[in-house]
């Protein structure tokens, strides 16, 4: 272990601000990348779902017209 | 081999293959990140000159390296897409570009936060830094060009051409520390020479490089699958997939 205490670990030998800024921004960038693409998949599937539901409604309405 | 490879020209098959590979890449990424970060941040000894600020290396070098690997992979895919007109290869170009852009951004930002305490400046117009910034602009250009066309066939072709043009920047980045007298230090790890780093510092770096590589793979697979789904969204197999998922949820 390179550090003796937790506070020493966070201080990073006086370079704490720079080290944690680098790691923080990296973590933020990677998280945004992951989350945005999971949301994207959800949106794509929702769009297809909506289109399928609409197609079904149109079909139903057409059948109704035929019976009336 | 062609007989084995041929079915994967079908987007549906590629989608399924990517889905099967995905969990393995996720697990590899997580293991490598946990091991690499604990090792690099807690157990690697401090540098005799740079103190603990050198620990930025465990994200800076992997991100910069994988940004180049991502671009090379994209260039190969772009070449295949243009020469053999493989649509899936175009989707691969579109899938990798934003991941590469984020890696380049990380390399630049972590470089700045490392440069400030060591060089005394967040940014200098040094050959390595400038060529890396150009790489970011090339990535952004490819993404913007791909999104500029609503016709995705045209978009894929245009983005592939720009990708191949941008390859010229890769050797410039790689040799920038050799060709010009730069502030940026030379390569730490090289294929032919002994690495200029103590093994107890080098091992966590290798693990992190592997981790960023696995992360690149994970994100590429996720984005590749999204790209296929979006482009094929009017095909019956996608409808069947969505319907199956719906009935599963109920």
């Amino acid at each position: 272990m390179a550090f003796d205490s937790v506070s020493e670990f966070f201080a990073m030998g006086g370079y704490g601000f720079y080290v944690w800024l680098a790691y923080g921004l990296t973590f933020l960038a990677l998280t945004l990348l992951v989350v945005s693409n999971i949301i994207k998949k959800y949106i794509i599937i929702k769009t297809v779902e909506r289109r399928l539901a609409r197609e079904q409604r149109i079909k139903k309405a057409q059948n109704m017209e035929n019976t009336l | 081999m062609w007989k084995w490879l041929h079915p994967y020209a079908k987007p549906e098959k590629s989608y399924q293959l990517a889905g099967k590979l995905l969990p393995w890449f996720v697990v590899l990424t997580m293991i490598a990140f946990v091991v690499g970060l604990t090792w690099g941040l807690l157990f690697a000894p401090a540098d005799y000159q740079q103190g603990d600020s050198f620990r930025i290396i465990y994200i800076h070098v992997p991100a910069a390296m994988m940004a180049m690997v991502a671009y090379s992979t994209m260039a190969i895919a772009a070449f295949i897409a243009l020469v053999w007109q493989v649509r899936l290869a175009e989707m691969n170009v579109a899938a990798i570009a934003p991941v590469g852009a984020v890696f380049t951004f990380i390399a630049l930002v972590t470089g700045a936060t490392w440069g400030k305490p060591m060089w005394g400046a967040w940014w200098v117009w040094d050959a390595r830094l400038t060529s890396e910034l150009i790489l970011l602009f090339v990535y952004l250009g490819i993404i913007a060009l791909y999104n500029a066309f609503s016709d995705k066939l045209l978009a894929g072709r245009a983005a592939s051409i720009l990708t191949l043009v941008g390859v010229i920047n890769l050797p410039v980045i790689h040799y920038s520390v050799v060709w010009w007298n730069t502030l940026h230090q030379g390569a730490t790890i090289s294929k032919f020479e002994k690495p200029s780093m103590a093994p107890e510092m080098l091992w966590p770096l290798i693990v992190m490089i592997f981790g960023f590589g696995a992360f690149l793979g994970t994100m590429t697979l996720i984005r590749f699958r999204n790209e296929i789904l979006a482009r094929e969204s009017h095909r019956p197999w996608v409808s069947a997939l969505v319907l199956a998922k719906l009935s599963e949820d109920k």
Side-chain angles (χ1 to χ4, degrees), chain B residues 37-56:
Chain B
L37 286 177
T38 350
W39 198 346
L41 283 173
L42 284 172
F43 293 97
D47 188 66
Y48 80 104
Q49 267 184 333
Q50 306 199 358
D52 286 313
S53 77
F54 100 98
R55 289 179 205 281
I56 294 174

Side-chain angles (χ1 to χ4, degrees), chain B residues 133-246:
Chain B
L133 185 64
I134 292 171
L135 181 68
L136 180 64
F137 291 155
V138 171
Y139 268 128
L140 295 180
I142 293 166
I143 298 166
L145 192 63
Y146 185 76
N147 290 322
F149 296 93
S150 51
D151 176 2
K152 286 301 164 200
L153 273 176
L154 199 61
R157 210 180 311 150
S160 298
I161 291 169
L162 184 57
T163 304
L164 288 184
V165 172
V167 169
I168 188 74
N169 195 25
L170 290 188
V172 176
I173 296 173
H174 187 78
Y175 290 109
S176 58
V177 286
V178 183
W179 290 343
W180 291 285
N181 201 358
T182 68
L183 199 52
H184 195 285
Q185 68 187 68
T188 307
I189 310 169
S190 133
K191 244 178 288 165
F192 306 110
E193 286 160 48
K194 221 170 130 247
S196 57
M197 203 179 178
E200 58 267 42
M201 290 175 172
L202 181 67
W203 275 109
L205 181 60
I206 290 171
V207 174
M208 282 309 285
I209 290 171
F210 181 79
F212 267 75
F215 182 81
L216 173 64
T218 306
M219 282 321 297
T220 305
L221 287 174
I222 292 175
R223 290 190 46 81
F224 182 59
R225 272 159 66 88
N226 279 355
E227 205 65 40
I228 294 176
L229 268 192
R231 280 223 219 170
E232 301 265 305
S233 64
H234 285 274
R235 295 287 165 96
W237 74 267
V238 177
S239 306
L241 193 96
V242 171
L243 285 175
K245 205 169 217 166
L246 271 180

Side-chain angles (χ1 to χ4, degrees), chain A residues 20-44:
Chain A
W20 297 120
L21 185 64
Y23 275 87
L25 287 172
T26 302
F27 180 76
L28 193 74
L30 294 184
T31 311
L32 280 178
L33 187 65
V34 172
V35 170
S36 68
N37 282 294
I38 291 173
I39 292 173
K40 200 170 163 192
K41 177 162 191 186
Y42 178 80
I43 291 171
I44 294 168

Side-chain angles (χ1 to χ4, degrees), chain A:
Chain A
M1 195 83 92
F3 301 96
D4 294 327
S5 67
V6 180
S7 58
E8 237 179 77
F9 171 67
F10 284 113
M12 278 284 155
Y15 295 113
F17 172 70
Y18 300 107
V19 173
W20 297 120
L21 185 64
Y23 275 87
L25 287 172
T26 302
F27 180 76
L28 193 74
L30 294 184
T31 311
L32 280 178
L33 187 65
V34 172
V35 170
S36 68
N37 282 294
I38 291 173
I39 292 173
K40 200 170 163 192
K41 177 162 191 186
Y42 178 80
I43 291 171
I44 294 168
I45 288 180
K46 275 284 157 217
T47 315
V48 177
E49 268 179 32
R50 234 175 287 135
R51 183 175 56 80
L52 290 175
R54 186 163 165 267
E55 277 169 7
Q56 234 162 21
R57 274 202 308 277
I58 291 171
K59 221 183 229 167
K60 230 186 212 166
Q62 276 170 348
N63 285 341
M64 283 265 268
E65 266 171 34
N66 293 341
T67 51
L68 280 173

